[in-house]
Each structure stands twice: as C-alpha cells, then as structure tokens.
Amino acid sequence: MNTVSSQDTVVSARADGPIGRIVLDRPEAMNAITVELGLQLENALCELAERVNVIVVRGAGGNFSVGGDFHELERLRAAGPEALRPLFENFGRACAAISGLPVPVVAVVEGNATAGGFELMQASDIALVRADAKLADNHANFGQVPGGGSSQRLPRLIGRQRALGHILSGERLSGEQAAEWGLAYRSFAPDAFEEGVAAFVERLAGKDRTALGKIKRLVHDGLKMPLVDGLAKELATVIDHVGGDAAGAGITSFTRSEGA
C-alpha cells in the first residue's frame, strides 16, 4: 500500500488493477477522524482517481468510522477555536472532493458508521452496507453539531422531515433501514456482504472509465440546475460522447455480438 502523507499512515491506499482501495486505518480507535486522517483521505482519493475506474472506501477492523476523535477534539479545543479549523476543513475537503472525481467512489459500510463516518457515507457516490451496520448522525447525543456536511447533504438525500428527525434525535439506523431510506444503494445480509460488494465493484470496474465519469458528472451537475438545463447538458454530452472512440467501440462490440 502507498503512503499518502509524511505523517503516520492512518489512511492506506492502493490500486488493485482498475479498482482503487482506500482503508481508514485506525482500527484501535474505530477509525475515528483526526486532522491527519482527513488530509490523507483527500490525498488518497485524488491520487487514485487518476489511475483507476472505481474507488472503494472502507474502514479497518470491522467498522467504517465513528466520526471525530474526541481525544483530538480535546487537544485542539485547548489551543483555541481556530485550532479546530483544520480538523473540520480537512475532512470537509475530502468529502467535497468526491463529487468532482472522474470515477465513482463506493463506500463499503459495516459495523459503526456514525457522525463523521455517516457523513462520509453520504458524500460517497454509492454506498453498499451490511444489513446489521449501525448508522447514525449522533452529534446531538453528545451536545454537538454536525461538521462534515450532514446538515446539508442529508436533507437533500432523504428530505427535510427525515433528516431533521434523524439528526435531532440521534436515533440509530440499521444498514437495511438506510437502504430503505435511499441512503444506500444496497444492503447485504452479513453472510453475503463481502461477496455482494466484490461482485458490484468488479461490475463497475469493468465498464468504460470515460462513460462512468461522464454519467457521474451529469448526475452531480444536474442536481444543481433546473431540469431543463440538466436535460440540455445531457443532450450535449451524449452527442459528444457517441461520436467518440470509446462509444464507437462499444457500439461495434454490441452489433457484432448480435450478429454472432
């Protein structure tokens, strides 16, 4: 695995053929987020995106992430409010970077995904969850306020009622419930989790990188504009794409298989 920072490696990353694999690697702390982890996560995402077709993000030791490291928070608080800024800015930049990457980012979620871990899941393009995972924006349970995007992304994903009800109560969701709410693409039973994740990721990895990137860009950009503008952008994109070499190869492959 490649070291992505000069500090202790708390995020490991490697390219496995067309699949980029990122691991939040603080299992002893349930992958709690620190200043350094946020920095390394952004670096790993941006570096791998240049070399692979899909990026998988998961946590070490059976948990995704429990959010901000309270020991780190205590240390930073002692130095004054401005000392806290890098913790939230680094992690926020890592989450924000995902939508701009030219490849899909898949969060593979098991165990605990709470607070910042839950926010990273929301920021990912696709989430695959173990049915018995424990998910929550539980900031309010500890007298805290979301700082990794939950107050903004969650209402856009599931609507104001569910988002406010969840964030204010801090109630726990299972992976199965998350999929029912539209927070995850698919949940898998524990005994089918690894096999299901591998099959889905390999399916994505085998597709044309250019097409995946353009589809992702259309969806993310389209959500920020009126429908009529999004449709116009899609029309311009498909005309440009179908005239290119990658689409031509796909069309030729399809027509030949029909004639076989």
Side-chain angles (χ1 to χ4, degrees), residues 3-223:
T3 300
V4 296
S5 172
S6 60
Q7 304 296 318
D8 291 340
T9 302
V10 291
V11 173
S12 54
R14 65 185 172 93
D16 182 10
I19 302 172
R21 302 189 186 277
I22 293 177
V23 178
L24 311 180
D25 202 5
R26 300 188 68 223
E28 75 288 350
M30 299 175 77
N31 306 313
I33 298 157
T34 61
V35 172
E36 185 63 22
L37 187 144
L39 175 64
Q40 292 186 21
L41 177 58
E42 182 188 11
N43 290 343
L45 286 163
C46 294
E47 192 272 332
L48 278 177
E50 300 301 317
R51 303 192 282 134
V52 299
N53 290 359
V54 59
I55 296 173
V56 176
V57 180
R58 63 189 308 172
N63 290 292
F64 191 61
S65 172
V66 292
D69 187 309
F70 271 38
H71 296 293
E72 179 110 316
L73 279 169
E74 285 187 337
R75 179 180 66 79
L76 296 172
R77 273 170 43 84
E82 278 303 304
L84 291 162
R85 187 173 296 277
L87 175 64
F88 296 101
E89 287 188 342
N90 287 3
F91 182 65
R93 278 196 302 266
C95 290
I98 290 172
S99 66
L101 297 179
V103 296
V105 175
V106 180
V108 175
V109 180
E110 61 183 323
N112 290 279
T114 55
F118 188 52
E119 290 170 312
L120 176 56
M121 173 182 154
Q122 293 171 49
S124 298
D125 296 310
I126 299 166
L128 304 176
V129 297
R130 220 172 97 145
D132 59 355
K134 303 174 181 68
L135 317 173
D137 188 305
N138 59 351
H139 289 96
N141 293 349
F142 302 95
Q144 304 300 312
V145 175
S150 210
S151 70
Q152 303 305 305
R153 288 192 180 94
L154 197 59
R156 288 166 168 80
L157 290 169
I158 62 175
R160 177 177 61 85
Q161 279 287 330
R162 272 184 166 167
L164 269 176
H166 178 71
I167 295 172
L168 295 178
S169 70
E171 292 178 340
R172 182 182 290 175
L173 298 173
S174 68
E176 186 175 12
Q177 287 173 302
E180 291 170 357
W181 280 22
L183 280 168
Y185 175 60
R186 191 170 292 165
S187 72
F188 298 96
D191 61 355
F193 180 65
E194 294 296 341
E195 182 180 354
V197 166
F200 181 82
V201 171
E202 287 168 11
R203 183 178 180 85
L204 285 188
K207 298 189 182 301
D208 179 70
R209 173 191 165 91
T210 301
L212 291 179
K214 288 179 179 178
I215 293 166
K216 172 177 170 173
R217 183 79 277 123
L218 281 170
V219 171
H220 280 285
D221 287 352
L223 288 170

